[in-house]
Amino acid sequence: MKRLDPTLAPAAKSKAIAISDFLGVLDTRLRGVDAGPTLVALLQMLLTGSTPPMELAPLRRALKRIISTNEQTGFLAKVKALRAAAEVVATTSRRFIDPFSGAALQVALLEEAVSMAPDLRGRLQLIATILRGEGLMETLLSEPIARIPLSCARGRVEALVTPTTDELFACVADPKLLEIKGLADAELETAILCLRLRYIDMRIGFDQDGRRSSKLIDDFDVTGLPLWHLIADEACRRSAVTRSMRVMCDARSIAKVRLSLLPATPANRTPMPSVPPPALPSSPLSVTICRSPIPPSSDKQDKAEIERHLILETPLPVARMPDLADIDRSHGRLRLEFPWAENALSAIFDEVRGRSALGLIDLAMPPTLLVGLPGSGKSRLGRRLAEELRLPSILVPLGGSADSKVLCGTSRGWSTGRPSDLVTHLAQIGQASAMVLLDEVDKAVGSHGRDIGITSYLLGLLERETAARHRDCFLKTECDLSHLQWLLTANRLSALQPALRSRLRILLVREPSPEHHGTIARHAIDDMAKRWGIGRDVLPEIDELALPWSCMGNARQVCAAVEAAVMSWAREITRH
């Protein structure tokens, strides 16, 4: 910002100081926004320059009204001017302020207004502006239990939700208070949304007991639901029930919200009177893989193999379902790594999020097939998904394979006799849960396109009922593989049998566009550091490498180019 000219007259100097102070406040509130410095420079030009373009004249007048208010005028006049300027920004020409920057400026102006006069309407307007700027408002209003994804907006909104809903709560005790009656139609929607976010996102009630998950649903019934109906009744009274309001106030939607507040564990369930209450297990949920003892063998080689798998006769832990906050964090991280696969990620995490909200204890997801062009990052996406869900992964490459023993094992008596790779892996990790990554399942065919039997084994393993009684050829006993999670990849669907396709949730993974190549390159270097067992700071940044961006077509080519460039970089630094 420009320095003040010491030769200015007192009135002009006072005005310049007011402009400088105002721009300083906005500069602080826009810190962290990419377009922040540009916006501040634009506002400084409007306030100190000559006649602006016609489209920006209303904004200039609104900003000057903010500057002209002083202690004599009163801070309420300044608050009103700040809110009016925020409304003007929404209609400012997009030639000068793009929607993202405009939303950031609106939020900055409203935040300053709320800091000066933290009233109910101001906070509701600020919350709605933040959510619209992030493109979240429509989703949150249309989905009964949608949550704010992990982002900078989440913390800012949650900080506003508590005081906003606390003020709304006063209306339950004294409906004669005119707080709700004075809200605009859109503010009524935001009020119900804040109430829902308090219970679903923040998972806190209004009284002390309501801050415990076991009492949250009781708090909702006693306090949250009456307040919910009070706001909805006001909307009905004035015939302001919009489509979004109908979605949020529908009986089924409220039932979904209430169901999502159930405790995550069955600890509070009362046992049947005729059965003594079972002792709560101190260890995680467990399952015994081998449903009956493994028959012994007189063969020395077979005996050694059996001994390595005796752990499967003991209870092994099952992967626990992450809580909703961990699920959101994992989803957010993978969205940053695979922005082109957002549709597939949303489908996967919505399923897991729903199971978690229903209080399911063990981690589970339907068998899923990722379909996409070669080099679209399907295999890496599957591996990273397993890492985020904290599941050990079993990679089974099927491209051109002609052997189904990885799934069923090989009978005893042969020199190559051994159990299936699935049970062997479970014995090695000492767990009943894992993510099975079947790569290139569309290429698992024999000569002349003949199916080689892998499909027939998969049909049983993908069904939880039959997977719980999968018979291993070598162990000669039924094995409970129902806690395995299945993720398959393929380049085309036409090669898969209809029976197999019917058992899979099919998700399309789009091909990354050139704008995603930088993201792929950065994570390729991260993977190289992990693979080589060295610190990430040892390897170069992207801008230090000479990468042929124009020659890269897909994720696989980007990774290959990055690895070659890192090798070249390493050779160069060793010469000096």
Side-chain angles (χ1 to χ4, degrees), residues 119-138:
D119 61 350
L120 178 61
R121 295 193 66 181
R123 280 194 292 257
L124 288 171
Q125 188 180 4
L126 177 55
I127 290 169
T129 304
I130 293 174
L131 294 175
R132 285 196 184 94
E134 296 285 330
L136 301 172
M137 194 68 172
E138 185 176 349

Side-chain angles (χ1 to χ4, degrees), residues 226-399:
L227 177 54
W228 197 303
H229 288 312
L230 189 65
I231 300 171
D233 289 344
E234 173 60 24
C236 292
R237 186 188 66 80
R238 62 175 79 168
S239 301
V241 182
T242 63
R243 177 181 174 275
S244 299
M245 184 72 83
R246 283 196 297 272
V247 170
M248 289 193 291
C249 297
D250 180 76
R252 292 184 180 180
S253 299
I254 295 176
K256 288 182 180 180
V257 173
R258 190 179 185 279
L259 191 60
S260 72
L261 302 179
L262 288 172
T265 62
N268 294 316
R269 293 180 185 170
T270 304
M272 296 294 290
S274 59
V275 181
L280 293 176
S282 57
S283 59
L285 184 68
S286 59
V287 66
T288 302
I289 300 296
C290 291
R291 303 176 66 89
S292 59
I294 302 173
S297 173
S298 57
D299 184 84
K300 182 179 180 180
Q301 183 175 341
D302 291 350
K303 188 183 297 184
E305 196 71 47
I306 291 172
E307 289 178 356
R308 284 195 288 271
H309 291 77
L310 290 179
I311 189 175
L312 302 178
E313 296 180 353
T314 61
L316 299 180
V318 172
R320 303 298 296 266
M321 177 69 74
D323 59 32
L324 291 171
D326 287 338
I327 294 171
D328 286 344
R329 283 191 285 269
S330 296
H331 189 187
R333 284 190 290 266
L334 290 181
R335 285 175 64 187
L336 293 176
E337 289 187 41
F338 304 90
W340 63 91
E342 169 57 21
N343 61 322
L345 288 172
S346 294
I348 292 171
F349 278 98
D350 285 349
E351 169 78 22
V352 177
R353 195 177 285 113
R355 290 172 182 258
S356 177
L358 290 173
L360 301 184
I361 301 175
D362 59 319
L363 176 60
M365 55 181 281
T368 302
L369 173 66
L370 301 179
V371 181
L373 294 174
S376 55
K378 302 182 297 296
S379 302
R380 185 177 183 276
L381 175 58
R383 176 173 59 80
R384 285 289 294 117
L385 178 63
E387 291 174 357
E388 288 293 338
L389 296 178
R390 299 176 185 175
L391 280 172
S393 58
I394 307 173
L395 177 61
V396 183
L398 296 178

Side-chain angles (χ1 to χ4, degrees), residues 272-558:
M272 296 294 290
S274 59
V275 181
L280 293 176
S282 57
S283 59
L285 184 68
S286 59
V287 66
T288 302
I289 300 296
C290 291
R291 303 176 66 89
S292 59
I294 302 173
S297 173
S298 57
D299 184 84
K300 182 179 180 180
Q301 183 175 341
D302 291 350
K303 188 183 297 184
E305 196 71 47
I306 291 172
E307 289 178 356
R308 284 195 288 271
H309 291 77
L310 290 179
I311 189 175
L312 302 178
E313 296 180 353
T314 61
L316 299 180
V318 172
R320 303 298 296 266
M321 177 69 74
D323 59 32
L324 291 171
D326 287 338
I327 294 171
D328 286 344
R329 283 191 285 269
S330 296
H331 189 187
R333 284 190 290 266
L334 290 181
R335 285 175 64 187
L336 293 176
E337 289 187 41
F338 304 90
W340 63 91
E342 169 57 21
N343 61 322
L345 288 172
S346 294
I348 292 171
F349 278 98
D350 285 349
E351 169 78 22
V352 177
R353 195 177 285 113
R355 290 172 182 258
S356 177
L358 290 173
L360 301 184
I361 301 175
D362 59 319
L363 176 60
M365 55 181 281
T368 302
L369 173 66
L370 301 179
V371 181
L373 294 174
S376 55
K378 302 182 297 296
S379 302
R380 185 177 183 276
L381 175 58
R383 176 173 59 80
R384 285 289 294 117
L385 178 63
E387 291 174 357
E388 288 293 338
L389 296 178
R390 299 176 185 175
L391 280 172
S393 58
I394 307 173
L395 177 61
V396 183
L398 296 178
S401 174
D403 196 347
S404 58
K405 66 183 179 183
V406 294
L407 302 180
C408 62
T410 307
S411 300
R412 300 179 190 180
W414 299 89
S415 60
T416 56
R418 61 181 178 86
S420 71
D421 289 0
L422 303 181
V423 296
T424 297
H425 190 83
L426 297 179
Q428 290 172 348
I429 64 176
Q431 274 188 236
S433 300
M435 177 80 80
V436 184
L437 304 174
L438 296 182
D439 203 21
E440 296 185 314
V441 68
D442 55 325
K443 298 183 177 64
V445 293
S447 58
H448 307 295
R450 181 178 53 87
D451 184 88
I452 57 172
I454 286 182
T455 298
S456 61
Y457 280 98
L458 276 178
L459 296 180
L461 288 169
L462 296 179
E463 296 283 354
R464 189 155 188 172
E465 289 293 327
T466 52
R469 287 175 167 77
H470 176 76
R471 186 169 184 81
D472 187 89
C473 295
F474 183 91
L475 297 181
K476 293 187 175 182
T477 185
E478 289 184 345
C479 298
D480 186 352
L481 303 182
S482 60
H483 294 279
L484 292 177
Q485 312 306 317
W486 296 86
L487 192 67
L488 293 71
T489 70
N491 296 333
R492 54 198 177 98
L493 284 173
S494 57
L496 303 184
Q497 292 186 4
L500 178 59
R501 293 201 300 267
S502 67
R503 286 166 170 79
L504 298 170
R505 174 179 59 176
I506 300 173
L507 302 176
L508 175 66
V509 177
R510 299 184 179 92
E511 189 175 23
S513 59
E515 66 186 30
H516 300 133
H517 289 173
T519 301
I520 298 170
R522 283 192 295 274
H523 290 295
I525 296 180
D526 294 342
D527 288 346
M528 291 171 66
K530 291 179 184 177
R531 193 166 65 247
W532 295 345
I534 59 177
R536 172 62 184 85
D537 54 346
V538 176
L539 297 180
E541 298 297 332
I542 294 299
D543 54 7
E544 299 178 57
L545 301 175
L547 291 171
W549 296 107
S550 60
C551 301
M552 301 178 188
N554 54 43
R556 190 174 298 160
Q557 292 173 355
V558 173

Side-chain angles (χ1 to χ4, degrees), residues 167-181 230:
E167 191 169 348
L168 287 167
F169 170 63
C171 301
V172 176
D174 187 2
K176 293 182 180 179
L177 294 176
L178 300 179
E179 296 287 347
I180 289 180
K181 295 183 183 298
L230 189 65

Side-chain angles (χ1 to χ4, degrees), residues 18-250:
I19 292 174
S20 179
D21 291 344
F22 173 67
L23 293 176
V25 169
L26 287 185
D27 185 59
T28 301
R29 294 200 177 279
L30 289 168
R31 198 159 293 163
V33 179
D34 293 339
T38 305
L39 279 173
V40 173
L42 173 63
L43 299 182
Q44 186 173 29
M45 178 198 73
L46 286 175
L47 291 169
T48 60
S50 56
T51 305
M54 185 185 305
E55 295 89 343
L56 294 180
L59 179 58
R60 175 175 171 150
R61 289 194 295 270
L63 294 175
K64 284 194 170 184
R65 279 195 290 271
I66 298 172
I67 303 300
S68 63
T69 57
N70 50 37
E71 294 180 358
Q72 288 75 26
T73 310
F75 77 97
L76 288 179
K78 189 163 189 173
V79 169
K80 186 177 180 180
L82 285 164
R83 291 177 179 170
E87 293 178 3
V88 172
V89 171
T91 58
T92 300
S93 173
R94 293 189 178 183
R95 288 175 51 203
F96 300 94
I97 301 180
D98 62 89
F100 175 79
S101 301
L105 181 55
Q106 280 184 278
V107 169
L109 292 168
L110 291 175
E111 280 181 335
E112 182 63 15
V114 168
S115 69
M116 298 178 66
D119 61 350
L120 178 61
R121 295 193 66 181
R123 280 194 292 257
L124 288 171
Q125 188 180 4
L126 177 55
I127 290 169
T129 304
I130 293 174
L131 294 175
R132 285 196 184 94
E134 296 285 330
L136 301 172
M137 194 68 172
E138 185 176 349
T139 301
L140 291 172
L141 290 175
S142 59
E143 297 291 337
I145 56 174
R147 301 186 64 198
I148 303 177
L150 189 65
S151 66
C152 62
R154 181 167 182 166
R156 299 165 79 180
V157 170
E158 287 184 350
L160 292 163
V161 163
T162 301
T164 302
T165 48
D166 283 344
E167 191 169 348
L168 287 167
F169 170 63
C171 301
V172 176
D174 187 2
K176 293 182 180 179
L177 294 176
L178 300 179
E179 296 287 347
I180 289 180
K181 295 183 183 298
L183 297 180
D185 297 348
E187 291 165 350
L188 290 175
E189 284 185 345
T190 309
I192 286 189
L193 180 58
C194 287
L195 186 62
R196 199 183 75 191
L197 293 176
R198 175 167 183 150
Y199 279 102
I200 293 182
D201 273 55
M202 303 171 67
R203 300 193 71 78
I204 58 173
F206 286 90
D207 61 13
Q208 194 63 33
D209 286 338
R211 295 173 187 270
R212 302 201 306 265
S213 60
S214 59
K215 298 290 185 180
L216 187 59
I217 193 167
D218 296 332
D219 185 279
F220 179 76
D221 290 340
V222 173
T223 305
L225 198 53
L227 177 54
W228 197 303
H229 288 312
L230 189 65
I231 300 171
D233 289 344
E234 173 60 24
C236 292
R237 186 188 66 80
R238 62 175 79 168
S239 301
V241 182
T242 63
R243 177 181 174 275
S244 299
M245 184 72 83
R246 283 196 297 272
V247 170
M248 289 193 291
C249 297
D250 180 76

